[in-house]
Amino acid sequence: MLQGVRHIKAFVAVARLGSFTRAAAEVNVSQPALTVQIRQLEDSLGVRLFDRNKRQVVLTQAGRDLLPTLQRVLNDLDAVMSASHDLAGLRRGSVSVATLPSVAAGLLPIAIRRFAADHPNIDVKVSDVVAERIIQLVKAEEVDFGIGSRVGPDRDVEVIDFLTDRMCAFFPVDHPLAGRRPLLLKDVAAFPLILTARGTSVRSLVERTLEKEGLEISLACEANYMSTAVGMVRAGLGVSVLPESAIDAASCEGISVEPIHTPGLLRRIGFIRKANRSLSPAAERFVQLLREVAGPTLPHFSSTDAKARRG
């Protein structure tokens, strides 16, 4: 392919300059080499492109007919190369992310602001959805990567640990749980609970731990969004078990937040991508920036990373 491009460039240069000598100088080859390139192109196309003698070089009718098409080929290739360089140089492009709402409300806005300052011509598109939906979007390649929790074994995705989010009890400041330390899940389960909806990573984690601890609960309300759950707590409808990141996702004025010390109540959040798929330069940079915002000790997300594991 590269050789064919050189031949086309040689043809266009001779056609424009009307001289093998000047064309050879322009494309930076010797005149004999350029003559060979033109002859090879003619053999490949099966037509004669130039009539030439010692005095002049003139396009044949076939050469005149082919010139506009071959010129467009070069223009299109130049456009492709320019676009590729822009993408590699982070001068244009887009990044699409599917993320847990808690991350979308906390770390993500900070990272987007920094990214936009450095790369104003790259769009960042965010879908804040539950953990199961993140996996679906990643597997369908509708997003570049996800930020979420694993929801079960899945060989079609790779997950790199990013954050650890501990579960906390959210309750009104005058609630009986106030001041109880260390706070355990059995203490919280004694009151009506407000939990996130089924299918969310938090609900799955809480239910697994309740089952492991042999605890029964009274479910007061369910909420799709953490901010809704916090609002229900504020209204006195019950106690909620939410990740610590929910403090960033909602206003917690008038609400006490205490970590729950029962083992297992840690939500691991990772970068999720489809197995054996590379990230674009823009997406790679955005992942790097998220690490910088979150802290300096996070693992790297690369196709050869030993810490990359199948979900």
Side-chain angles (χ1 to χ4, degrees), residues 160-182:
I160 294 295
D161 287 341
F162 176 42
L163 301 169
T164 300
D165 209 2
R166 62 181 177 176
M167 294 297 114
C168 298
F170 287 64
F171 49 84
V173 292
D174 58 352
H175 194 275
L177 288 175
R180 188 175 300 184
R181 296 187 182 90

Side-chain angles (χ1 to χ4, degrees), residues 25-289:
E26 181 173 285
V27 299
N28 199 29
V29 298
S30 66
Q31 183 174 333
L34 182 117
T35 300
V36 170
Q37 288 178 351
I38 296 297
R39 185 177 301 117
Q40 289 174 340
L41 181 60
E42 289 176 329
D43 291 342
S44 176
L45 295 174
V47 294
R48 188 175 182 83
L49 298 173
F50 295 103
D51 290 323
R52 47 198 180 270
N53 55 42
K54 293 183 179 180
R55 294 186 176 182
Q56 61 181 353
V57 177
V58 180
L59 280 167
T60 63
Q61 183 60 50
R64 288 193 295 271
D65 291 342
L66 288 172
L67 179 60
T69 299
L70 295 178
Q71 181 65 69
R72 281 196 300 272
V73 169
L74 290 183
N75 292 341
D76 289 345
L77 285 172
D78 287 343
V80 168
M81 294 300 296
S82 178
S84 298
H85 291 155
D86 284 346
L87 291 173
L90 302 181
R91 291 185 291 272
R92 60 181 291 187
S94 65
V95 179
S96 55
V97 186
T99 180
L100 295 169
S102 57
V103 178
L107 286 174
L108 210 59
I110 300 171
I112 291 173
R113 184 179 66 242
R114 292 190 187 179
F115 191 81
D118 294 338
H119 311 292
N121 295 320
I122 297 180
D123 296 327
V124 179
K125 304 172 185 177
V126 178
S127 299
D128 53 337
V129 292
V130 298
E132 288 182 352
R133 181 60 179 154
I134 291 173
I135 300 295
Q136 292 170 1
L137 291 172
V138 169
K139 290 170 67 172
E141 300 186 68
E142 295 181 30
V143 296
D144 293 308
F145 66 93
I147 306 173
S149 302
R150 62 179 69 248
V151 294
D154 194 330
R155 296 182 60 83
D156 292 331
V157 297
E158 294 176 347
V159 183
I160 294 295
D161 287 341
F162 176 42
L163 301 169
T164 300
D165 209 2
R166 62 181 177 176
M167 294 297 114
C168 298
F170 287 64
F171 49 84
V173 292
D174 58 352
H175 194 275
L177 288 175
R180 188 175 300 184
R181 296 187 182 90
L183 189 63
L184 301 176
L185 185 59
K186 66 178 182 179
D187 302 321
V188 178
F191 298 90
L193 292 186
I194 300 165
L195 298 180
T196 55
R198 293 186 182 277
T200 62
S201 59
V202 173
R203 178 67 173 267
S204 299
L205 176 60
V206 171
E207 288 186 337
R208 284 198 304 270
T209 309
L210 286 168
E211 183 178 358
K212 182 178 179 181
E213 296 291 315
L215 298 172
E216 299 287 337
I217 66 167
S218 171
L219 182 62
C221 301
E222 291 182 327
N224 287 323
Y225 297 99
M226 294 183 191
S227 56
T228 305
V230 171
M232 290 176 174
V233 171
R234 186 179 293 109
L237 299 179
V239 176
S240 191
V241 179
L242 298 170
E244 192 171 26
S245 57
I247 298 171
D248 295 324
S251 170
C252 292
E253 183 179 353
I255 293 176
S256 292
V257 181
E258 286 291 338
I260 302 174
H261 292 277
T262 299
L265 282 178
L266 286 176
R267 180 175 68 156
R268 301 192 183 279
I269 298 173
F271 292 117
I272 304 169
R273 70 173 177 188
K274 192 167 184 179
N276 303 316
R277 292 290 192 275
S278 299
L279 295 181
S280 69
E284 286 276 12
R285 174 56 188 145
F286 193 67
V287 167
Q288 180 184 1
L289 190 54

